[in-house]
Amino acid sequence: VQLQASGGGLVQAGGSLRLSCVASGRYLSINYMGWYRQAPGKQRELVARITYGGSANYADSVKGRFTISRVNAKKTVYLQMNTLQPEDTAVYYCNAEVLVTRWNLETFWGQGTQVTVSS
């Protein structure tokens, strides 16, 4: 299973970006899909996560500004990021919990995409 993330970039504070992540490969189903981020010198942290059925949860720091969504038919998860702040600067990683076979549940990571917010 591969996860291909895209959509990062440089934006001014108050601006918006939309990240996308597409899954490919052989598997039975994808349970959770989500986004994590890691800023320089900090641990990787959960930003948002969404179930197959569309239930989402967010880090407190992004609630009301970020929206996660997914289109199961397209095997894609999105992260709409509004009102970006310099503290949102980080490498953003796509993540998925995948039922690869009936007996094998694994977690996969994308390659990361850089988001830089200038003040």
Side-chain angles (χ1 to χ4, degrees):
V1 177
Q2 295 81 40
L3 300 175
Q4 181 67 44
S6 61
L10 174 64
V11 65
Q12 289 188 332
S16 298
L17 283 173
R18 188 193 195 204
L19 305 182
S20 300
C21 176
V22 181
S24 62
R26 296 185 63 142
Y27 55 87
L28 295 181
S29 65
I30 300 177
N31 297 341
Y32 290 98
M33 297 189 82
W35 292 94
Y36 287 70
R37 67 186 180 186
Q38 187 166 18
K42 294 188 177 181
Q43 289 188 332
R44 189 173 297 189
E45 63 175 1
L46 174 68
V47 176
R49 194 170 67 162
I50 187 168
T51 67
Y52 183 88
S55 296
N57 62 286
Y58 299 89
D60 288 342
S61 59
V62 307
K63 283 181 181 177
R65 300 188 298 122
F66 291 11
T67 302
I68 190 170
S69 60
R70 65 188 281 179
V71 179
N72 294 322
K74 293 185 177 181
K75 305 174 184 180
T76 302
V77 62
Y78 304 97
L79 185 68
Q80 178 66 43
M81 305 184 292
N82 297 329
T83 320
L84 283 160
Q85 300 301 317
E87 52 265 34
D88 295 315
T89 296
V91 177
Y92 284 69
Y93 296 92
C94 176
N95 164 274
E97 183 183 80
V98 181
L99 189 64
V100 181
T101 68
R102 286 179 61 188
W103 307 275
N104 186 15
L105 187 66
E106 293 188 36
T107 298
F108 294 89
W109 293 89
Q111 83 282 12
T113 184
Q114 177 70 47
V115 171
T116 303
V117 185
S118 63
S119 58

Short mmCIF file of all heavy atoms in Angstrom, two decimals, residues 1-3 23-32 96-109:
data_model
loop_
_atom_site.label_atom_id
_atom_site.label_comp_id
_atom_site.label_asym_id
_atom_site.label_seq_id
_atom_site.Cartn_x
_atom_site.Cartn_y
_atom_site.Cartn_z
N VAL A 1 0.85 -1.18 0.00
CA VAL A 1 0.00 0.00 0.00
C VAL A 1 0.89 1.23 0.00
O VAL A 1 1.82 1.34 0.80
CB VAL A 1 -0.93 0.02 1.21
CG1 VAL A 1 -1.77 1.30 1.22
CG2 VAL A 1 -1.84 -1.22 1.21
N GLN A 2 0.59 2.16 -0.89
CA GLN A 2 1.34 3.42 -0.95
C GLN A 2 0.38 4.58 -0.73
O GLN A 2 -0.77 4.54 -1.16
CB GLN A 2 2.04 3.58 -2.30
CG GLN A 2 3.12 2.54 -2.59
CD GLN A 2 2.54 1.23 -3.08
OE1 GLN A 2 1.59 1.22 -3.86
NE2 GLN A 2 3.07 0.13 -2.59
N LEU A 3 0.89 5.60 -0.05
CA LEU A 3 0.14 6.83 0.16
C LEU A 3 0.92 7.97 -0.47
O LEU A 3 2.09 8.17 -0.14
CB LEU A 3 -0.06 7.10 1.65
CG LEU A 3 -0.82 6.04 2.44
CD1 LEU A 3 -0.84 6.40 3.93
CD2 LEU A 3 -2.25 5.91 1.93
N ALA A 23 -4.42 6.76 -1.82
CA ALA A 23 -3.92 5.42 -1.51
C ALA A 23 -3.95 4.55 -2.75
O ALA A 23 -4.85 4.66 -3.59
CB ALA A 23 -4.78 4.79 -0.42
N SER A 24 -2.94 3.69 -2.86
CA SER A 24 -2.91 2.74 -3.97
C SER A 24 -2.32 1.42 -3.47
O SER A 24 -1.71 1.36 -2.41
CB SER A 24 -2.08 3.30 -5.13
OG SER A 24 -0.74 3.51 -4.72
N GLY A 25 -2.53 0.37 -4.26
CA GLY A 25 -2.03 -0.93 -3.87
C GLY A 25 -3.17 -1.91 -3.63
O GLY A 25 -4.33 -1.60 -3.89
N ARG A 26 -2.84 -3.07 -3.12
CA ARG A 26 -3.82 -4.12 -2.89
C ARG A 26 -4.17 -4.20 -1.41
O ARG A 26 -3.29 -4.33 -0.55
CB ARG A 26 -3.27 -5.46 -3.37
CG ARG A 26 -3.02 -5.50 -4.87
CD ARG A 26 -2.60 -6.87 -5.28
NE ARG A 26 -3.66 -7.85 -5.01
CZ ARG A 26 -3.95 -8.86 -5.81
NH1 ARG A 26 -3.30 -9.01 -6.92
NH2 ARG A 26 -4.88 -9.73 -5.49
N TYR A 27 -5.44 -4.12 -1.11
CA TYR A 27 -5.90 -4.22 0.27
C TYR A 27 -7.41 -4.43 0.26
O TYR A 27 -8.06 -4.30 -0.78
CB TYR A 27 -5.58 -2.94 1.06
CG TYR A 27 -6.11 -1.66 0.44
CD1 TYR A 27 -7.39 -1.21 0.73
CD2 TYR A 27 -5.32 -0.92 -0.43
CE1 TYR A 27 -7.88 -0.05 0.16
CE2 TYR A 27 -5.81 0.24 -1.01
CZ TYR A 27 -7.08 0.67 -0.71
OH TYR A 27 -7.57 1.82 -1.28
N LEU A 28 -7.96 -4.77 1.41
CA LEU A 28 -9.39 -5.00 1.50
C LEU A 28 -10.17 -3.72 1.78
O LEU A 28 -11.19 -3.44 1.14
CB LEU A 28 -9.69 -6.03 2.58
CG LEU A 28 -9.15 -7.45 2.32
CD1 LEU A 28 -9.53 -8.38 3.46
CD2 LEU A 28 -9.64 -7.99 0.99
N SER A 29 -9.69 -2.94 2.72
CA SER A 29 -10.38 -1.71 3.06
C SER A 29 -9.45 -0.81 3.87
O SER A 29 -8.44 -1.26 4.40
CB SER A 29 -11.66 -1.99 3.86
OG SER A 29 -11.36 -2.57 5.11
N ILE A 30 -9.80 0.46 3.94
CA ILE A 30 -9.07 1.42 4.75
C ILE A 30 -9.98 1.87 5.88
O ILE A 30 -11.08 2.39 5.62
CB ILE A 30 -8.61 2.63 3.92
CG1 ILE A 30 -7.69 2.18 2.78
CG2 ILE A 30 -7.89 3.63 4.81
CD1 ILE A 30 -7.24 3.31 1.88
N ASN A 31 -9.54 1.68 7.10
CA ASN A 31 -10.32 2.14 8.25
C ASN A 31 -10.11 3.63 8.43
O ASN A 31 -10.77 4.45 7.82
CB ASN A 31 -9.93 1.34 9.48
CG ASN A 31 -10.26 -0.13 9.33
OD1 ASN A 31 -11.06 -0.53 8.49
ND2 ASN A 31 -9.63 -0.96 10.12
N TYR A 32 -9.17 4.02 9.26
CA TYR A 32 -8.88 5.43 9.48
C TYR A 32 -7.95 5.97 8.38
O TYR A 32 -7.09 5.27 7.89
CB TYR A 32 -8.17 5.64 10.81
CG TYR A 32 -9.03 5.42 12.03
CD1 TYR A 32 -9.00 4.23 12.72
CD2 TYR A 32 -9.88 6.42 12.49
CE1 TYR A 32 -9.78 4.01 13.83
CE2 TYR A 32 -10.68 6.22 13.61
CZ TYR A 32 -10.61 5.02 14.28
OH TYR A 32 -11.40 4.82 15.37
N ALA A 96 -2.69 6.02 7.18
CA ALA A 96 -3.89 5.21 6.98
C ALA A 96 -3.76 3.88 7.71
O ALA A 96 -2.68 3.28 7.71
CB ALA A 96 -4.12 4.97 5.49
N GLU A 97 -4.85 3.46 8.31
CA GLU A 97 -4.93 2.13 8.92
C GLU A 97 -5.65 1.23 7.94
O GLU A 97 -6.83 1.46 7.64
CB GLU A 97 -5.69 2.20 10.24
CG GLU A 97 -5.76 0.88 10.98
CD GLU A 97 -6.60 0.99 12.24
OE1 GLU A 97 -7.84 0.96 12.13
OE2 GLU A 97 -6.02 1.11 13.33
N VAL A 98 -4.95 0.22 7.45
CA VAL A 98 -5.43 -0.54 6.30
C VAL A 98 -5.61 -2.01 6.65
O VAL A 98 -4.71 -2.63 7.24
CB VAL A 98 -4.42 -0.42 5.13
CG1 VAL A 98 -4.93 -1.20 3.91
CG2 VAL A 98 -4.20 1.04 4.76
N LEU A 99 -6.75 -2.54 6.29
CA LEU A 99 -6.97 -3.98 6.39
C LEU A 99 -6.42 -4.59 5.11
O LEU A 99 -7.07 -4.59 4.07
CB LEU A 99 -8.46 -4.28 6.56
CG LEU A 99 -8.81 -5.73 6.89
CD1 LEU A 99 -8.24 -6.13 8.25
CD2 LEU A 99 -10.32 -5.96 6.87
N VAL A 100 -5.19 -5.09 5.21
CA VAL A 100 -4.51 -5.59 4.02
C VAL A 100 -5.07 -6.96 3.62
O VAL A 100 -5.34 -7.22 2.44
CB VAL A 100 -2.99 -5.67 4.25
CG1 VAL A 100 -2.30 -6.17 3.00
CG2 VAL A 100 -2.44 -4.30 4.66
N THR A 101 -5.23 -7.82 4.60
CA THR A 101 -5.89 -9.10 4.40
C THR A 101 -6.88 -9.28 5.55
O THR A 101 -6.96 -8.43 6.44
CB THR A 101 -4.90 -10.28 4.39
OG1 THR A 101 -4.37 -10.43 5.72
CG2 THR A 101 -3.76 -10.03 3.41
N ARG A 102 -7.58 -10.36 5.56
CA ARG A 102 -8.57 -10.58 6.64
C ARG A 102 -7.89 -10.61 8.01
O ARG A 102 -8.53 -10.32 9.02
CB ARG A 102 -9.30 -11.89 6.40
CG ARG A 102 -10.31 -11.85 5.28
CD ARG A 102 -10.97 -13.19 5.10
NE ARG A 102 -11.70 -13.60 6.30
CZ ARG A 102 -12.24 -14.81 6.47
NH1 ARG A 102 -12.12 -15.72 5.53
NH2 ARG A 102 -12.89 -15.10 7.56
N TRP A 103 -6.61 -10.95 8.05
CA TRP A 103 -5.95 -11.12 9.34
C TRP A 103 -4.83 -10.11 9.57
O TRP A 103 -4.09 -10.22 10.53
CB TRP A 103 -5.34 -12.53 9.40
CG TRP A 103 -6.34 -13.60 9.09
CD1 TRP A 103 -7.21 -14.17 9.95
CD2 TRP A 103 -6.58 -14.20 7.82
NE1 TRP A 103 -7.99 -15.10 9.30
CE2 TRP A 103 -7.63 -15.14 8.00
CE3 TRP A 103 -6.02 -14.05 6.56
CZ2 TRP A 103 -8.12 -15.91 6.95
CZ3 TRP A 103 -6.51 -14.82 5.51
CH2 TRP A 103 -7.55 -15.74 5.72
N ASN A 104 -4.69 -9.14 8.68
CA ASN A 104 -3.55 -8.25 8.75
C ASN A 104 -3.98 -6.80 8.67
O ASN A 104 -4.34 -6.31 7.60
CB ASN A 104 -2.57 -8.58 7.62
CG ASN A 104 -1.28 -7.79 7.74
OD1 ASN A 104 -0.99 -7.21 8.78
ND2 ASN A 104 -0.52 -7.73 6.67
N LEU A 105 -3.94 -6.10 9.81
CA LEU A 105 -4.25 -4.68 9.88
C LEU A 105 -2.94 -3.92 10.06
O LEU A 105 -2.21 -4.17 11.02
CB LEU A 105 -5.19 -4.39 11.06
CG LEU A 105 -5.75 -2.99 11.19
CD1 LEU A 105 -6.70 -2.68 10.03
CD2 LEU A 105 -6.48 -2.85 12.52
N GLU A 106 -2.61 -3.04 9.14
CA GLU A 106 -1.35 -2.32 9.19
C GLU A 106 -1.55 -0.82 9.07
O GLU A 106 -2.57 -0.36 8.54
CB GLU A 106 -0.43 -2.78 8.04
CG GLU A 106 0.05 -4.22 8.15
CD GLU A 106 1.10 -4.53 7.09
OE1 GLU A 106 1.91 -3.64 6.78
OE2 GLU A 106 1.09 -5.66 6.58
N THR A 107 -0.57 -0.08 9.54
CA THR A 107 -0.55 1.37 9.41
C THR A 107 0.50 1.78 8.39
O THR A 107 1.63 1.29 8.45
CB THR A 107 -0.26 2.04 10.76
OG1 THR A 107 -1.30 1.71 11.67
CG2 THR A 107 -0.20 3.56 10.59
N PHE A 108 0.11 2.66 7.49
CA PHE A 108 1.01 3.13 6.44
C PHE A 108 1.14 4.64 6.52
O PHE A 108 0.23 5.34 6.97
CB PHE A 108 0.49 2.72 5.06
CG PHE A 108 0.51 1.24 4.83
CD1 PHE A 108 -0.59 0.47 5.18
CD2 PHE A 108 1.61 0.62 4.28
CE1 PHE A 108 -0.60 -0.90 4.98
CE2 PHE A 108 1.62 -0.75 4.08
CZ PHE A 108 0.51 -1.51 4.43
N TRP A 109 2.29 5.14 6.04
CA TRP A 109 2.58 6.57 6.04
C TRP A 109 2.94 7.03 4.64
O TRP A 109 3.61 6.31 3.89
CB TRP A 109 3.74 6.87 6.97
CG TRP A 109 3.44 6.64 8.41
CD1 TRP A 109 3.61 5.48 9.11
CD2 TRP A 109 2.90 7.59 9.33
NE1 TRP A 109 3.22 5.65 10.41
CE2 TRP A 109 2.77 6.94 10.58
CE3 TRP A 109 2.51 8.92 9.23
CZ2 TRP A 109 2.28 7.58 11.71
CZ3 TRP A 109 2.02 9.56 10.36
CH2 TRP A 109 1.90 8.89 11.57
#
